[in-house]
Amino acid sequence: METDKGVIFDLDGVIVDTAKFHFLAWRKLANDLGFDFTQEQNEQLKGVSRVESLKKILEWGELELSKTEFKRQMALKNENYLSYVAKMDKREILPGVQKIIDYLIINNVPFALGSASKNARTILKKISLLEKFDAIVDGTDVSKAKPDPEVFLIAAGKLRVKPENSIVFEDSVAGIQAAKNAQMLSIGIGDPKTLGEADYVFPDFTKIDLDFIKKVLTK
Ligand code: G6P
Ligand code: MG
């Protein structure tokens, strides 16, 4: 296939359903601190860095923590989250994802990871996908959180693909906004009511056929 395009995948909620583990771990933290938050509020945490997530949660619980306690809570959350990650293997790759990755490889289309997570490499290793990506940009490489386009712009740069030739798969509102801010084509994975700003939205990867991928790669 003749294409000068590249693809960037978010990780949590796109390649694997770790979004549910983040939710469980944040919810436990909130409950331990004496309050709760809803699934709707949780949507606002998707794609958002660990620090920013904790800030939002504490606002919802109307709590303020000392610097030391804030750090301690972040570490506890991550510890709890990693206890779920530890049980992961390649069966956790969401249905339909592998088929698209294989298609990109066969057609020599470069693809990268663009995630806010500092655990991205650990997770990719657990699901045996670490070596497949042409580039990985994660929470350890960026200073500005989505909706800032930084993570995707660095990823496109590493792939040597122009931003306007990049296609982003995202499950979060902040991530779709980041793709738009980077002038990239955005494909939302999830609920169209939540991800209405995306250029396209699919409920999951099983609903995306290879003809569609070919179309966006060649137009
Ligand atoms: C992703 C997830 C967020 C998470 C962030 C940081 O963007 O969607 O829910 O807070 O990564 O992840 P980390 O693994 O570094 O805590
Ligand atoms: Mg995500």
Side-chain angles (χ1 to χ4, degrees):
M1 185 199 305
E2 272 300 305
T3 182
D4 46 11
K5 299 203 193 279
V7 175
I8 305 172
F9 291 88
D10 172 48
L11 175 66
D12 296 302
V14 169
I15 293 179
V16 284
D17 192 11
T18 39
K20 68 180 180 224
F21 301 148
H22 279 294
F23 178 54
L24 290 173
W26 282 130
R27 198 155 185 218
K28 178 174 176 351
L29 173 145
N31 292 169
D32 288 350
L33 291 172
F35 63 97
D36 204 1
F37 62 87
T38 63
Q39 287 263 0
E40 271 108 71
Q41 284 173 305
N42 186 58
E43 285 303 319
Q44 298 176 43
L45 302 179
K46 290 188 178 172
V48 175
S49 71
R50 207 179 301 167
V51 183
E52 294 305 320
S53 299
L54 183 51
K55 282 188 195 160
K56 273 185 203 274
I57 292 167
L58 292 175
E59 266 174 40
W60 297 336
E62 294 172 16
L63 264 189
E64 274 180 38
L65 298 182
S66 68
K67 254 193 177 153
T68 327
E69 187 54 19
F70 188 98
K71 274 197 175 158
R72 196 178 78 88
Q73 289 296 341
M74 268 211 320
L76 280 176
K77 184 270 173 177
N78 198 47
E79 214 176 278
N80 184 11
Y81 173 67
L82 286 177
S83 70
Y84 294 109
V85 170
K87 296 178 203 128
M88 291 176 79
D89 62 32
K90 62 176 178 226
R91 287 171 298 183
E92 298 272 337
I93 299 172
L94 285 168
V97 171
Q98 190 70 54
K99 186 181 75 181
I100 289 172
I101 287 183
D102 291 343
Y103 182 79
L104 298 176
I105 293 174
I106 291 167
N107 288 289
N108 283 316
V109 180
F111 61 97
L113 190 86
S115 165
S117 174
K118 293 186 172 164
N119 297 304
R121 283 182 170 79
T122 307
I123 294 169
L124 286 179
K125 217 182 210 168
K126 296 236 43 141
I127 58 171
S128 308
L129 279 186
L130 185 62
E131 310 298 331
K132 303 281 185 207
F133 285 81
D134 298 296
I136 291 173
V137 185
D138 67 15
T140 64
D141 302 302
V142 296
S143 55
K144 290 174 238 144
K146 298 170 186 176
D148 191 281
E150 184 185 25
V151 62
F152 294 144
L153 291 173
I154 298 177
K158 287 197 175 186
L159 295 179
R160 298 178 191 281
V161 169
K162 289 186 192 151
E164 61 268 32
N165 286 336
S166 302
I167 299 160
V168 173
F169 287 107
E170 255 294 347
D171 71 315
S172 71
V173 178
I176 296 291
Q177 288 167 346
K180 292 206 108 86
N181 289 337
Q183 315 284 322
M184 298 177 176
L185 186 89
S186 57
I187 304 179
I189 303 294
D191 187 345
K193 277 191 229 115
T194 315
L195 303 176
E197 286 180 63
D199 293 307
Y200 301 91
V201 183
F202 294 92
D204 60 63
F205 277 94
T206 65
K207 302 289 184 304
I208 307 181
D209 59 34
L210 294 177
D211 284 343
F212 170 78
I213 300 290
K214 186 171 180 189
K215 187 180 94 186
V216 291
L217 284 172
T218 49
K219 83 173 176 193

